[in-house]
Amino acid sequence: MVPWAKQAHEYHVNHDLATCLYCANVISPERRQALTDAFDDSFSHFVTEVRTAAHHALQSLEAVNIVRNNVPKAAELSAEFEPPYKAAAKKLDAAFEDINLLVAEALRALNARLASPTAAISVELPPVQEIQERFMGLERAGEELNEICEQHSDLVDNFVQHQRRARDAIRRHFAIESSQAFKNHVDVIASAHEAERVAREHIHELESELADLRSKIRQHGPAAEKINALVASYLGHNELSVVAVGEGYELHRHGSLVKGEPSEGEKTAIAICYFLSSLEAEDRKLKDLIVVVDDPVSSLDTKAMNYACSLIRNRLSGASQVIVLTHNHHCMNELKKAWKGASRGDQPAATLKFIDVRIPSDTGLRTSTIVRLPNHLRDYDSEYHFLFEKVITFSAAGDIHYDYTFMMPNVLRRVLEIFLAFKTPRDGNISDKLGTLCKRNSDLDPSRLNALERLSQIESHSDNLDDLISQSAMTIEESQAACAALLDLMRTVDPHHLADMRKHCAP
């Protein structure tokens, strides 16, 4: 009430009012003088000083909290400084907490004094000397922490020397600890070198003997005739021929040395024929051999591919075991026709396998596994059913992790191409064919086909399973949208086809 009364007195004096505006009583000159003496400048000065002190106390409290929150963490220092730093930091934090309590109590008292300038205020603060000692404790705790930080800074500035000293200490430790073991290893290495020298001499003698034996039994002339017969049958003409010269062969065309390189198909034909002709060389028996043929149909047309597969099956039918690896779908079908029946029964004579590539959720890494050939590749010559099974499984997975998500853009693109090839059997890109279907089917929403448009813009053309292992630029969300749009397109354009595919391509 005192500041309010002072303000009211000054207002009456400044306006020369003889009566009180509050109670309407007459203000006598003696009363006015008494109030003037009571409200002199010392009261205003006192209130100002209390307000200034409270502001300083609040600033000090905020500053202490800022510094306290910005003390570096022990993990930011080198390992050897962490234990002493943690202890010093804990001590400093306790000192900060102690000072916070003092400043907070002082601030409380000052705010109470501002609220009641004339009332008695209880202040729960220790004596001034104890307060000074506690502030000195904070200063010492800060100096202790700063000293550790300075030592760490010196270490960082001279890190190379520190690292060198640490490495030297480690080397000395292991050198002393392993000196006897090192001597033993030196002796073992010396003995191994001697044994290697003796073994090399023995190998050299065996290689010389082997070369003599090979020179006696090698007759590559007749082998060249077998190769030429196979190549002529393979290519349907005898323009190319293999001629035995010295210790090797030459490739002739029309009786003269071939100029430049033969075509990729001719290279493949010669390689297959040479391989088949050389299996029984050096007195080997076909029935004792395990033969592995890797991708035998590279760069061959359909006719040559069929002949190559037939040649491999017939020529290697007497081998102990034959393994054919291929990523070509047509080649797989040719071999599957011959071996599909033999793969059935309680004691199958053949097996059809598939390299399954997936990304399991527990590892997140691409993993390849040899598994049984999927039924949709086994039972159909087209890959359409196999790919459609992936599409409906991906659609059913929703937000759940799907092991084959990485290859779904290529799968969706391939299924879309095959479906459009039957529904719009004309030349043109995917966008043009989608536009044609929209014109024919009013129920199709062109905006729903944006995901398929996006798919056609990002994904390159693919015509076999080999492209399914490459990563796509489409996100998972975009792939799911494209999958939904594809199934909606098939449902609208040909619902019977979609129903049949769902029935026959169930996972």
Side-chain angles (χ1 to χ4, degrees), residues 293-350:
V293 185
D294 184 13
D295 201 11
V297 295
S298 175
S299 302
L300 297 179
D301 56 26
T302 303
K303 178 182 177 181
M305 184 186 303
N306 294 340
Y307 185 84
C309 294
S310 176
L311 185 65
I312 290 173
R313 296 198 314 268
N314 295 332
R315 285 280 179 162
L316 301 180
S317 60
S320 175
Q321 185 177 11
V322 179
I323 301 173
V324 181
L325 309 174
T326 182
H327 63 270
N328 186 285
H329 192 258
H330 299 293
C331 176
M332 181 193 71
N333 284 338
E334 286 298 316
L335 297 172
K336 183 180 66 175
K337 291 176 184 177
W339 294 336
K340 183 177 179 181
S343 65
R344 297 192 177 98
D346 296 334
Q347 294 181 339

Side-chain angles (χ1 to χ4, degrees), residues 233-264:
S233 175
Y234 193 112
L235 297 177
H237 58 77
N238 57 1
E239 294 179 4
L240 285 177
S241 60
V242 175
V243 179
V245 291
E247 294 297 321
Y249 301 92
E250 285 183 353
L251 185 61
H252 288 202
R253 190 189 300 276
H254 297 298
S256 302
L257 190 65
V258 171
K259 295 180 180 180
E261 291 190 359
S263 67
E264 294 298 323

Side-chain angles (χ1 to χ4, degrees), residues 48 64-65 70 86 110 118 163 167 178 181 187 202 226 228 235 278 281 289-290 315 344 346 402 418 449 459 491:
T48 300
V64 167
N65 289 328
N70 284 277
K86 286 182 178 178
L110 292 170
T118 60
Q163 190 180 50
R167 286 175 176 170
S178 307
D187 296 339
H202 183 58
K226 296 180 181 179
N228 289 332
L235 297 177
S278 62
L289 299 182
I290 297 176
R315 285 280 179 162
R344 297 192 177 98
D346 296 334
Y402 184 51
I418 297 174
L449 301 180
E459 297 304 314
R491 185 182 302 106

Side-chain angles (χ1 to χ4, degrees), residues 140 148 155 169 172 204 206 247 265 329 372 432 486 504:
R140 287 192 296 270
I148 297 175
L155 172 64
R172 286 193 296 271
H204 181 69
L206 292 177
E247 294 297 321
H329 192 258
R372 181 179 177 273
D432 295 337
L486 173 60
H504 296 296

Side-chain angles (χ1 to χ4, degrees), residues 459-479:
E459 297 304 314
S460 60
H461 291 278
S462 59
D463 58 2
N464 58 60
L465 293 176
D466 184 45
D467 293 329
L468 299 182
I469 64 173
S470 60
Q471 290 285 11
S472 170
M474 294 186 69
T475 63
I476 296 177
E477 290 77 10
E478 287 178 320
S479 298

Side-chain angles (χ1 to χ4, degrees), residues 1 8 123 138 200:
M1 297 293 292
V123 183
L138 173 63
R200 286 186 179 278

Side-chain angles (χ1 to χ4, degrees), residues 44-111:
S44 299
H45 180 68
F46 169 73
V47 173
T48 300
E49 284 188 341
V50 172
R51 184 176 290 108
T52 301
H55 179 68
H56 288 168
L58 181 61
Q59 286 184 325
S60 299
L61 195 61
E62 292 175 351
V64 167
N65 289 328
I66 290 174
V67 174
R68 186 179 182 182
N69 293 330
N70 284 277
V71 173
K73 305 300 181 184
E76 299 176 13
L77 276 69
S78 184
E80 60 265 35
F81 290 99
E82 286 192 21
Y85 185 85
K86 286 182 178 178
K90 184 177 181 181
K91 183 178 178 181
L92 178 64
D93 191 68
F96 273 137
E97 181 64 24
D98 186 35
I99 295 302
N100 265 350
L101 296 175
L102 293 177
V103 177
E105 175 60 20
L107 179 61
R108 183 199 64 77
L110 292 170
N111 288 331

